[in-house]
Amino acid sequence: MVKKIQRSRIISVFGGRKADPKQCEDAEAIGRAIAERGWILLCGGRSGIMEAVSRGCNEAGGLTVGILPGTDDSDANSFVSIPIATGIGLARNEILACACDAAVAIGGKYGTLSEIGHALQYGKSVIVLGSWDIPGTIAVHSAEEAVLTLDSIMKSKELS
Amino acid sequence: MVKKIQRSRIISVFGGRKADPKQCEDAEAIGRAIAERGWILLCGGRSGIMEAVSRGCNEAGGLTVGILPGTDDSDANSFVSIPIATGIGLARNEILACACDAAVAIGGKYGTLSEIGHALQYGKSVIVLGSWDIPGTIAVHSAEEAVLTLDSIMKSKELS
Amino acid sequence: MVKKIQRSRIISVFGGRKADPKQCEDAEAIGRAIAERGWILLCGGRSGIMEAVSRGCNEAGGLTVGILPGTDDSDANSFVSIPIATGIGLARNEILACACDAAVAIGGKYGTLSEIGHALQYGKSVIVLGSWDIPGTIAVHSAEEAVLTLDSIMKSKELS
Amino acid sequence: MVKKIQRSRIISVFGGRKADPKQCEDAEAIGRAIAERGWILLCGGRSGIMEAVSRGCNEAGGLTVGILPGTDDSDANSFVSIPIATGIGLARNEILACACDAAVAIGGKYGTLSEIGHALQYGKSVIVLGSWDIPGTIAVHSAEEAVLTLDSIMKSKELS
């Protein structure tokens, strides 16, 4: 008999192509935590924060789906398990916001801002770490705090 | 002989479906100014700020293109001259940002925030009036100041 | 008092970047007819059939909206009145199908095929002239016949 | 040391929400074959052919990514492992075409036609089984033949 899939939670991580070492370290730790919990990582699939979080997720045996702006899957960083070459450019930011159960923004510039805006518009929980200070987001000060917050958000979703 | 079109400038106006009377008055004034300068108004095509700015543009004989999220052109407010029913949902926010020569954000919530993020990512000038206070935008305090600022931005584009 | 806009009909013309002189002549004639009826022309905004139909529309004083795949409005052909740089690549084909009251396909290859598929999925009338032979489309054999067919489709929409 | 991911091949399966039992059986067999080869299945994530191919893939322990038109992941059929709720409506058809290494169309109507058009425009190999007869596609007459053809296409990609 075929079993109905109990699908995994999907966590989007927003963040730019430019990132300092500390931010990348944080992203990597968050990627590891996502994998360890059996969640799926969704991200923009490219360099910087996107690569760091994918690397962390990969290290811990997790699955990363990279929603790429271009038409070429080889634009994905080396740690993306499933590159989705959309061809829709920066409109793919909306998909990252729409398809997740919760999101974490790490650093980032205007692309990240658009992702935060879209995610809040969809009513998603958005944790921000050294990123845009936008009312409605949940500001945290470390990767550990980001993960603890994700844990309690996901726990509350189970209960509801 | 056929003449090559000297295309009109396109100004996007961002803003939400909920707006107070003062914001709508400002939006209407800005819509009128856009029409009076022969520019084309691009907006989300729906209610609130979008309707007010379309009304102002229409009053002054201008052309409003409404980029609608849904598949039904009758979702457009009554003052949209050209409704473009995209069917791509909130990803249409990216088009409003991409297709303009400059943008004005009036009030607004998270959808507007996503539009500001996308527009800044594309390097567009974004004037904000009682809207999100985001570094890189140009804050103004009245509809008149918004229009004067648009004038000088458009003037600088001609010279360059 | 402000009048509610009685919006113009929107006709999409599908067709590729490569086109022979006869197809371009037909496209130009159809563009002229669209303009003469006060309809708005929607097309992909680029070269080949898209340019020919835009030229015809422009010659007759009509308005062409070009839904461009890229982020640069200067990709538009010289006869597009309102270039909408979407940045969403070939996904813009779906918008051409979604936003029109009826469509005409002239020649074209696979991009045109995707547009026909999308338009039929939306239940739009699709007239084909030397283009894909797809059940559900209305095949015509000349630009004149295409225009007569458009006339009767638009007339039936008024009555309904 | 972290290993660079050798990413899996992605096969898109196109097909409509309405399908007869024989088509569903074929879709299921093709889904199983995709899983057995360690490829990832990409599909529209909904009912009919999409559900049948997802079921087959799931039975054989494979991974299905469902690119959904709407904003609600619960629209996915029960056998989708990773639902991606895009919110971009039928424009998501373009992503199914863009993101794959090869595609199989089974039955289907106009949505499937748009996917075939997009995939051929991207230069992808498109195998058709009881679907649209479009020049440039590879027509097969059974699920087995579809799988053999996929095998040889994937083999030729390895060599190149």
Side-chain angles (χ1 to χ4, degrees):
Chain A
M1 219 201 94
V2 185
K3 67 165 201 302
K4 188 180 179 311
I5 286 176
Q6 178 68 37
R7 82 163 180 79
S8 304
R9 295 292 184 185
I10 298 174
I11 307 297
S12 281
V13 173
F14 307 149
R17 276 178 293 170
K18 284 178 190 161
D20 64 40
K22 172 60 181 145
Q23 287 178 321
C24 287
E25 205 180 287
D26 286 340
E28 211 173 314
I30 290 168
R32 269 195 307 271
I34 288 171
E36 286 162 4
R37 280 149 184 78
W39 300 333
I40 288 163
L41 171 63
L42 196 67
C43 75
R46 306 207 60 186
S47 54
I49 291 294
M50 298 176 267
E51 181 161 1
V53 72
S54 303
R55 186 191 299 113
C57 184
N58 180 38
E59 277 175 6
L63 200 67
T64 299
V65 179
I67 306 290
L68 298 164
T71 60
D72 188 348
D73 60 24
S74 69
D75 290 344
N77 71 63
S78 312
F79 308 102
V80 168
S81 337
I82 308 180
I84 304 291
T86 67
I88 65 167
L90 301 178
R92 73 83 147 84
N93 292 2
E94 180 273 338
I95 297 180
L96 294 174
C98 184
C100 68
D101 291 293
V104 184
I106 306 169
K109 281 207 69 178
Y110 296 132
T112 300
L113 182 64
S114 74
E115 292 164 333
I116 293 172
H118 281 301
L120 292 172
Q121 191 172 19
Y122 281 122
K124 308 289 167 104
S125 297
V126 180
I127 298 167
V128 294
L129 174 57
S131 182
W132 293 93
D133 177 24
I134 301 293
T137 60
I138 305 162
V140 296
H141 302 91
S142 68
E144 294 71 33
E145 198 186 343
V147 172
L148 287 172
T149 309
L150 271 179
D151 279 338
S152 62
I153 291 167
M154 290 301 109
K155 188 141 203 101
S156 72
K157 278 179 179 268
E158 276 168 37
L159 300 175
S160 66
Chain B
M1 218 198 94
V2 185
K3 68 165 198 305
K4 187 177 181 314
I5 286 175
Q6 178 67 36
R7 83 162 178 81
S8 304
R9 296 294 185 183
I10 297 173
I11 308 297
S12 281
V13 173
F14 306 149
R17 275 178 292 169
K18 284 178 189 162
D20 65 39
K22 173 61 181 146
Q23 287 177 322
C24 286
E25 205 180 288
D26 287 341
E28 211 172 315
I30 290 169
R32 270 196 307 271
I34 287 171
E36 286 161 5
R37 279 148 183 81
W39 300 333
I40 289 164
L41 170 63
L42 196 67
C43 75
R46 304 206 62 186
S47 55
I49 291 294
M50 298 177 266
E51 181 161 1
V53 71
S54 303
R55 186 190 301 113
C57 183
N58 180 36
E59 278 174 4
L63 200 67
T64 299
V65 179
I67 306 290
L68 298 164
T71 60
D72 189 345
D73 60 25
S74 69
D75 290 343
N77 72 61
S78 312
F79 308 102
V80 168
S81 339
I82 308 180
I84 304 291
T86 66
I88 65 168
L90 301 178
R92 72 84 147 83
N93 292 2
E94 180 273 339
I95 296 180
L96 294 174
C98 184
C100 70
D101 291 293
V104 184
I106 306 169
K109 281 206 69 178
Y110 297 131
T112 301
L113 181 63
S114 73
E115 291 164 334
I116 293 172
H118 281 301
L120 293 171
Q121 190 173 17
Y122 280 123
K124 307 292 166 104
S125 298
V126 180
I127 298 167
V128 293
L129 175 58
S131 183
W132 293 92
D133 177 25
I134 301 293
T137 60
I138 305 163
V140 297
H141 302 91
S142 67
E144 294 69 36
E145 198 186 342
V147 172
L148 287 172
T149 310
L150 271 178
D151 280 338
S152 62
I153 292 167
M154 291 301 106
K155 188 143 203 97
S156 73
K157 279 181 178 265
E158 276 168 38
L159 300 174
S160 67
Chain C
M1 218 200 95
V2 185
K3 69 164 195 306
K4 187 178 181 313
I5 286 176
Q6 178 68 35
R7 84 162 178 80
S8 303
R9 295 292 183 184
I10 297 174
I11 307 297
S12 281
V13 173
F14 307 149
R17 275 178 293 171
K18 283 177 189 163
D20 64 40
K22 172 61 181 146
Q23 286 178 321
C24 286
E25 204 180 288
D26 287 340
E28 210 172 315
I30 290 169
R32 269 196 307 271
I34 287 170
E36 286 162 4
R37 279 149 185 78
W39 300 332
I40 288 163
L41 170 63
L42 195 67
C43 75
R46 305 206 61 186
S47 54
I49 290 293
M50 298 176 267
E51 180 161 1
V53 71
S54 303
R55 186 191 300 114
C57 183
N58 180 38
E59 277 174 7
L63 200 67
T64 299
V65 180
I67 307 289
L68 298 164
T71 60
D72 188 347
D73 60 23
S74 68
D75 290 343
N77 71 63
S78 313
F79 308 102
V80 167
S81 338
I82 308 180
I84 305 291
T86 66
I88 65 168
L90 301 178
R92 73 82 148 84
N93 292 2
E94 180 273 338
I95 297 180
L96 294 174
C98 184
C100 68
D101 291 294
V104 184
I106 305 169
K109 280 208 70 180
Y110 296 132
T112 300
L113 181 64
S114 74
E115 292 164 334
I116 293 172
H118 281 301
L120 292 172
Q121 191 172 19
Y122 281 123
K124 307 290 168 103
S125 298
V126 181
I127 298 166
V128 294
L129 175 57
S131 183
W132 293 93
D133 178 23
I134 301 292
T137 60
I138 305 162
V140 297
H141 303 90
S142 67
E144 294 69 35
E145 199 186 343
V147 172
L148 287 172
T149 309
L150 271 178
D151 280 336
S152 61
I153 291 167
M154 291 301 108
K155 187 142 204 99
S156 72
K157 278 179 179 267
E158 277 168 39
L159 300 175
S160 67
Chain D
M1 219 199 94
V2 185
K3 67 166 203 302
K4 188 179 179 312
I5 286 177
Q6 178 69 34
R7 84 161 178 80
S8 303
R9 295 294 185 182
I10 297 174
I11 308 296
S12 281
V13 173
F14 307 149
R17 276 178 292 170
K18 285 178 188 162
D20 63 40
K22 173 61 183 145
Q23 287 177 323
C24 286
E25 205 180 287
D26 287 341
E28 211 172 314
I30 290 169
R32 270 195 307 272
I34 288 171
E36 286 162 3
R37 280 149 183 78
W39 300 333
I40 288 163
L41 170 63
L42 196 68
C43 75
R46 307 208 60 188
S47 54
I49 290 294
M50 299 176 267
E51 181 161 1
V53 71
S54 303
R55 186 191 301 115
C57 184
N58 180 37
E59 278 174 5
L63 201 68
T64 299
V65 180
I67 306 290
L68 298 164
T71 61
D72 188 347
D73 60 25
S74 69
D75 290 343
N77 71 62
S78 313
F79 308 102
V80 167
S81 339
I82 308 179
I84 304 292
T86 67
I88 65 168
L90 301 177
R92 71 84 147 84
N93 292 2
E94 180 272 337
I95 297 180
L96 294 174
C98 184
C100 68
D101 291 293
V104 184
I106 305 169
K109 280 207 72 178
Y110 297 132
T112 301
L113 182 64
S114 74
E115 292 164 334
I116 293 172
H118 281 301
L120 293 171
Q121 190 172 18
Y122 281 123
K124 306 291 167 103
S125 298
V126 181
I127 298 167
V128 294
L129 175 58
S131 183
W132 293 93
D133 177 25
I134 301 293
T137 59
I138 305 163
V140 296
H141 302 90
S142 67
E144 295 69 36
E145 198 186 343
V147 172
L148 288 172
T149 309
L150 271 179
D151 280 337
S152 62
I153 291 167
M154 290 302 106
K155 187 142 205 99
S156 72
K157 280 182 178 265
E158 277 168 39
L159 300 174
S160 68

